[in-house]
Amino acid sequence: MRRWYFEGQCVMGPRSGPGAHKNPFFLSARIQARRAAGARLDSSQLRHAGGNHVIFRTLLSKTLFAPGHPRFLPGFLPGGGAGIWGAMAEVKREVFGRMPPEEGGGEVEKFVLQSDSVRVEILSLGCIIAALETKGRDGQFADIVLGFDTLEGYTRKHPFFGAVVGRVANRIAKGRFTVDGKEYQLFLNNGPNSLHGGAKGFDKVLWSPQVIPNGVCFFRLSPDGEEGYPGELKVWVTYTLHGSELAINYRAQSSKTTPINLTNHAYFNLAGQGSPDIYDHEISIAADSYLPVDDTKIPTGEVAAVQGTGFDLRQPVELGKHLRKFHLDGFDHNFCLPPGRARRLVARARHPPTGRTMEVHSTQPGLQFYTGNNLDGSLKGKGAATYPKHSAFCLETQHWPDAVNQPHFPSTLLLPGEEYDHTTWFCFGTA
């Protein structure tokens, strides 16, 4: 069995038998350290007993670890058409528009990732997923995310359609927190609270893109004090498409201790964007507990069991019937996922009439399930569609809301010298 070496160390071993603990594509921490220090690594620094070096150009575009390792990145798991074992995704880039002069006038690019079964469009503005097309049971593609046809829609006020939100996704109570004995006050943009990074969060800025194999990596430097947050923050958001699996990896490093919580705020409707509601969707979430909230959507601090409540989604429920049964206006709650940093299945959605399915896997400790309760039909979306209440849902993998103020929640603090690193996978199919 072929083994791969870096500076004399075996960094990738066999897929079975002795050495299978390095299965597959385990790259040593030595490579990670060299890359973090800015070293440029190429295939000449690795060797193996035969074959060619094409694989290294893919491996070195990422920091890779074994499946199950907390820092395993997407797209290199054998089976399921993923990674180098499956077909390469086509990546195209084009100009989408230009920001208004008052926003700096910068050019916004669109990146199109396409496989045989999925096509996704991503903007350099806010790392926005502007379109996501998947096949139904009939083999026909449909765009299953809400959004706009032109840049103008995204530069106006909208409910974070498809965007990466941060520095801290979700809500911080009273926009206030204390780190290392110093109190920080954020902009209040959601009643008495701060939401999704503040007045000008990560969703409203241009990112620097770089095309990589099967995808695109976006980078930005968030200055110390931006939106009131401490520390200069380097952030990388990487989208990769392998077959029917779209992966989003989030990495960040800070010069000061800072809270951080990154997610993507795509609004899904598996019947196709523009469909009037999501009541005929089946939803399941692998969570034994959830966070009750007050009337401003801030967690009360209680971690409540889902058993016997309308929040028990461990088995699939038809959403419309479920909301009526439990007299719920909708969901906008954090579900507490099993502890651990390994990739795990956290949610599944299915639309029986079209057969479309979506699985969500993640390394994150929480999942915000939102059913578009605040959509009101006032926005004109793609193809002149309107988006009324409950016309889409969000499955936002993230840390728990207001965790920076609730010590018994999983910590959102990133310290200097550490790295924030989480991945979410969206797997599309039919059933």
Side-chain angles (χ1 to χ4, degrees):
M1 177 65 195
R2 193 177 289 170
R3 287 174 171 79
W4 307 77
Y5 296 86
F6 174 77
E7 296 183 348
Q9 294 186 2
C10 180
V11 296
M12 186 170 75
R15 290 194 290 267
S16 61
H21 63 286
K22 296 180 178 179
N23 162 44
F25 308 130
F26 180 100
L27 295 191
S28 71
R30 209 167 187 184
I31 292 180
Q32 163 73 0
R34 288 283 297 278
R35 291 182 74 249
R40 183 176 181 84
L41 305 179
D42 57 46
S43 60
S44 66
Q45 292 173 276
L46 295 107
R47 64 179 178 83
H48 63 86
N52 60 56
H53 286 166
V54 172
I55 188 173
F56 295 128
R57 289 199 291 274
T58 301
L59 293 176
L60 291 175
S61 70
K62 298 176 180 293
T63 303
L64 303 176
F65 292 85
H69 189 282
R71 302 185 63 175
F72 173 65
L73 292 187
F76 291 87
L77 185 66
I84 62 172
W85 303 94
M88 296 284 286
E90 182 181 14
V91 183
K92 297 179 180 178
R93 70 190 297 174
E94 59 190 69
V95 176
F96 187 66
R98 188 168 290 278
M99 295 294 287
E102 61 271 20
E103 295 290 336
E107 184 176 84
V108 179
E109 290 188 277
K110 179 172 74 175
F111 297 82
V112 182
L113 317 183
Q114 185 161 0
S115 69
D116 289 341
S117 55
V118 176
R119 182 181 183 275
V120 58
E121 299 179 2
I122 307 157
L123 306 182
S124 58
L125 171 64
C127 304
I128 289 170
I129 296 177
L132 203 168
E133 298 177 7
T134 68
K135 289 182 179 180
R137 191 185 297 110
D138 60 3
Q140 299 300 306
F141 281 94
D143 185 359
I144 61 169
V145 295
L146 276 54
F148 303 102
D149 288 320
T150 65
L151 178 59
E152 184 179 16
Y154 293 106
T155 59
R156 295 176 174 176
K157 185 177 180 180
H158 66 93
F160 307 95
F161 285 153
V164 166
V165 292
R167 183 176 300 196
V168 174
N170 218 306
R171 294 169 177 86
I172 294 178
K174 299 179 174 61
R176 190 181 304 145
F177 62 89
T178 300
V179 171
D180 295 335
K182 181 178 178 180
E183 184 175 276
Y184 294 87
Q185 180 63 57
L186 310 175
F187 183 81
L188 303 181
N189 63 333
N190 185 244
N193 307 314
S194 180
L195 174 70
H196 294 332
K200 190 174 182 180
F202 289 179
D203 60 298
K204 297 177 179 66
V205 296
L206 289 177
W207 294 62
S208 300
Q210 180 182 357
V211 172
I212 61 172
N214 299 314
V216 58
C217 178
F218 297 98
F219 171 80
R220 84 172 297 254
L221 186 66
S222 175
D224 185 6
E226 183 176 55
E227 289 297 318
Y229 288 98
E232 180 181 81
L233 189 74
K234 297 177 180 177
V235 191
W236 296 264
V237 176
T238 303
Y239 291 84
T240 49
L241 178 63
H242 297 91
S244 60
E245 179 179 273
L246 175 66
I248 312 176
N249 174 252
Y250 308 88
R251 292 176 50 229
Q253 301 165 356
S254 181
S255 64
K256 297 179 182 178
T257 301
T258 185
I260 182 171
N261 186 20
L262 303 177
T263 192
N264 181 278
H265 209 305
Y267 286 69
F268 296 98
N269 187 318
L270 300 185
Q273 72 88 28
S275 298
D277 61 61
I278 50 173
Y279 298 140
D280 57 356
H281 285 58
E282 294 177 355
I283 299 287
S284 60
I285 297 176
D288 294 329
S289 55
Y290 76 103
L291 300 181
V293 295
D294 65 19
D295 57 3
T296 71
K297 303 297 183 184
I298 292 294
T300 63
E302 179 188 6
V303 179
V306 301
Q307 181 72 36
T309 74
F311 294 87
D312 191 349
L313 305 177
R314 291 173 294 182
Q315 296 298 318
V317 300
E318 185 176 321
L319 195 54
K321 291 180 179 178
H322 188 80
L323 294 177
R324 291 193 297 273
K325 176 181 177 180
F326 288 94
H327 307 289
L328 298 172
D329 187 54
F331 290 94
D332 190 5
H333 296 78
N334 177 81
F335 286 77
C336 307
L337 302 176
R341 288 288 307 275
R343 171 177 174 162
R344 60 223 189 271
L345 175 65
V346 299
R348 191 171 190 269
R350 176 174 174 259
H351 184 243
T354 63
R356 286 191 185 86
T357 63
M358 180 177 76
E359 289 185 351
V360 183
H361 302 241
S362 187
T363 62
Q364 292 273 22
L367 176 75
Q368 187 83 7
F369 178 38
Y370 175 54
T371 49
N373 311 329
N374 296 323
L375 297 174
D376 60 7
S378 61
L379 293 174
K380 183 170 288 188
K382 290 178 282 190
T386 57
Y387 301 137
K389 181 178 180 177
H390 295 165
S391 61
F393 64 91
C394 304
L395 292 168
E396 305 162 64
T397 55
Q398 56 187 261
H399 272 71
W400 300 4
D402 197 37
V404 71
N405 291 315
Q406 310 222 27
H408 59 295
F409 288 3
S411 176
T412 55
L413 293 181
L414 175 65
L415 278 60
E418 296 182 348
E419 184 173 80
Y420 175 95
D421 191 344
H422 281 286
T423 304
T424 293
W425 297 260
F426 296 94
C427 307
F428 303 98
T430 57

